[in-house]
Amino acid sequence: LVFMLTISYCSCLAHGGRVWYVNATGGHSDGDGSINKPFNNISSAAALAQAGDTVLVSEGVYRERVAPENGGTAENPIVYKATPGHVVVIKASEVLQWTPQHDGTYKAMLPPSLFDTLDGSNNSSHLYNPFRDGIQPGSSCQCMTTGQIFVGDDWINTNPMRQLPIDNVTNCMIPYRRNGHPTKYFHTSDGCFATDPNATYLLARWPDSYVNASKVPPVIEVTVRSRVFAPHKRGLQYITVEGFIMEHAANQWINNFWFPQNYHYTQSGALGTRSGYGWVIKNNTIRKAQTIGLDFGTEGGYRGQPKPYPDNEGTNQPTPNMTGNHLVINNIFERNGASGVQGYVATGNFSYNILRDNGWIACGGAEEAGMKTHAFTGNMVGNLVHRNQNAIPLYFDSGYNNMRLSRNVIVHNGVTGGIAFEMSWGGDKGALVDNNIILGQSGNGYGGTGIGSQDASGITLVHNLIMNFSGVNMESYGGVGQNPKQASGIDLHGLTGRNCGQRPDGSKSSGVCGLANWMIEGNIIMSGTNHTPWLHIHPEKHGSQGEELVENDTAINNIVTGGMADFPTDPTLKIKVSQNINPTMAFNIEVDAAASDSPVLKITPDSSITSSACNAKGPGTDVDYTGQSRNPSKCVSGPLASLEPGKTTTVSLVPQQL
């Protein structure tokens, strides 16, 4: 596995083209985009910008969907850029007029003039009203429609209110249905809203903090557009988006998004590339979308599918032949309802981003994650995945060929685990997962798994710190080794019988997915409990042609705590679990991570840190978590090459760019 970690990019205006100027307060509705007569909206510039042009946006709030009309070239991209030092906010929300009602609620009308069309056309019969678009049926999302209302004391610190049936709004009573029992209700102090059956008006009760003070929130914003920045045309190439804050997309959820009939539920972020190629997305903050912050793949569907194509704007544009190869760097994806990022058949480089506090509407199902990709190829380096709720923090599905996941921090993301891999042989080069810090919340009972796998093979897992996961309390299942449900550190557990295609080595195979060819070496794995195995590997199982599905898995030279490893011992399977070291009580790790946006790790190892016989020249040994070069003649377990017995090392858990 050979990967390049050096990232170079230019933070400058595009060369050779025109600069289009935009100014929210000093611009003109009839502007020409010049510095003396700038536009007052970004969309006017987006309709005209050509390859090599720059759209330079001055400070202000822009309430619009920006839909670039054209793409650039590799030599001459189109650059959309916030003026350096300016705070430029693009919102899919509007400010409405609210009228007090006799019961303490407030009412605002929803005239058609508020809304645009999904496809950008001027067809007034196709206006998109988010409050008429029920959230995807069958999902468990804690919302009724894609529409949102945010309230707060200022433009930065607004919070969403819960949508309820109109009869429940006066007192903000949330129904709680229990199977076989009468419905109960509980009051939410965060405020609530409802709409009439035809979504012609909104009715809202403000949060208790305002009601009790007989005040109206100074800021009330209502989401009226499905996206913030995304072309209507699919497949535009070489667009740079830099330096913006984007908020409030009324987007849908995505269960079974790949089926043609589900085109309305394909991936649709507040910011989206619309199956484009060669985009650069950097230094942005994407937040408060109803479901997804960013989508940077092919949205949905599959190659060669019949109509309808995976175009949730309803224009039936097919998926372009060339997609992906994006650079997504130094962005913040925060407080999005379901996922910070989704990438279906996404490729490129996703590095030095922060994903935090996403997942609060709890859509559930296999698609919700802090970040989820399908068939990803490329690098994910130096990202912080922090405080995401109700879902797996990082989830790689349906392939991860030639992928490096290095120097990332996954910390305090509830009890759902760390990283999940699903359904792939790993291609010819597989995945290298190295020098990451993966921290859970310890405790007995269900506490997730550091690294989980279902139908996934071909992964090299080296020099990581995996700590404070507790899996399932094995005492409830007859003890370790009797009926293992979930390991605390690494769990190669799920075999479902699905088809992953031909094995990369060309060996005899029915195509049934396996759990094979894992290399686990030089890690520090500190379980949150002794009641679950630190490692579990699925018992022997065969495909329909008699081939072994669980084989060639190796876990050696790791520093581990937790229950005894649970794995098949038949020597013909070539599964090796040996030479793993148990540290003493002197090995101490402290984490300050729960509340801070800048978490810190302190680690004081014992002599085991230098006792491992791990490979000093293997994969993942070029640099450690901090970017320090590793000693090719001395192997130090875990992600920090500078560790010494008895010496305390303190590192920031916000990865630094090399």
Side-chain angles (χ1 to χ4, degrees), residues 489-621:
I490 301 169
D491 194 274
L492 313 187
H493 181 78
L495 286 174
T496 66
R498 291 178 294 178
N499 194 305
C500 284
Q502 186 64 33
R503 295 191 183 200
D505 61 7
S507 60
K508 178 183 176 182
S509 173
S510 61
V512 175
C513 305
L515 291 166
N517 303 318
W518 281 69
M519 169 55 74
I520 303 166
E521 183 176 14
N523 302 284
I524 300 173
I525 304 169
M526 300 291 196
S527 298
T529 175
N530 289 324
H531 295 296
T532 57
W534 68 269
L535 167 69
H536 168 245
I537 301 177
H538 195 286
E540 182 178 8
K541 192 171 183 178
H542 300 92
S544 60
Q545 295 187 17
E547 75 275 22
E548 298 285 358
L549 300 180
V550 185
E551 62 179 354
N552 297 322
D553 296 319
T554 300
I556 57 174
N557 301 320
N558 301 284
I559 298 173
V560 302
T561 66
M564 185 180 300
D566 187 59
F567 59 95
T569 56
D570 184 340
T572 64
L573 300 179
K574 299 179 181 178
I575 293 174
K576 183 179 181 181
V577 180
S578 64
Q579 298 173 276
N580 299 295
I581 304 171
N582 298 123
T584 68
M585 294 295 290
F587 200 121
N588 185 58
I589 301 176
E590 299 177 21
V591 183
D592 177 14
S596 173
D597 288 341
S598 301
V600 172
L601 175 77
K602 293 182 180 180
I603 181 168
T604 308
D606 65 2
S607 60
S608 64
I609 197 67
T610 55
S611 299
S612 170
C614 55
N615 186 357
K617 297 181 180 180
T621 60

Side-chain angles (χ1 to χ4, degrees), residues 209-233:
S209 59
Y210 296 102
V211 173
N212 295 338
S214 300
K215 293 172 55 179
V216 174
V219 177
I220 307 167
E221 297 178 292
V222 177
T223 303
V224 298
R225 288 175 289 276
S226 64
R227 312 190 79 165
V228 178
F229 192 112
H232 293 298
K233 295 179 181 178

Side-chain angles (χ1 to χ4, degrees), residues 69 84 101 138 207 230 234 257 264 323 339 400 452 495 558 563 615 643:
E69 181 66 22
Q101 306 297 295
R234 301 183 76 202
F257 65 90
H264 184 60
T323 64
S339 286
Y400 35 79
L495 286 174
N558 301 284
N615 186 357
L643 292 179

Side-chain angles (χ1 to χ4, degrees), residues 226-302:
S226 64
R227 312 190 79 165
V228 178
F229 192 112
H232 293 298
K233 295 179 181 178
R234 301 183 76 202
L236 294 187
Q237 299 183 1
Y238 298 108
I239 291 175
T240 294
V241 184
E242 179 180 1
F244 299 99
I245 297 172
M246 301 186 189
E247 294 185 336
H248 302 164
N251 42 9
Q252 265 289 356
W253 189 230
I254 57 171
N255 283 341
N256 299 318
F257 65 90
W258 52 86
F259 290 133
Q261 66 269 25
N262 286 342
Y263 67 90
H264 184 60
Y265 305 110
T266 53
Q267 295 179 355
S268 174
L271 168 59
T273 62
R274 287 280 281 162
S275 300
Y277 180 85
W279 285 42
V280 176
I281 299 169
K282 60 185 177 183
N283 301 331
N284 304 285
T285 296
I286 317 298
R287 64 190 182 201
K288 302 180 184 178
Q290 180 72 295
T291 55
I292 301 168
L294 167 71
D295 75 284
F296 71 123
T298 60
E299 303 161 85
Y302 49 87

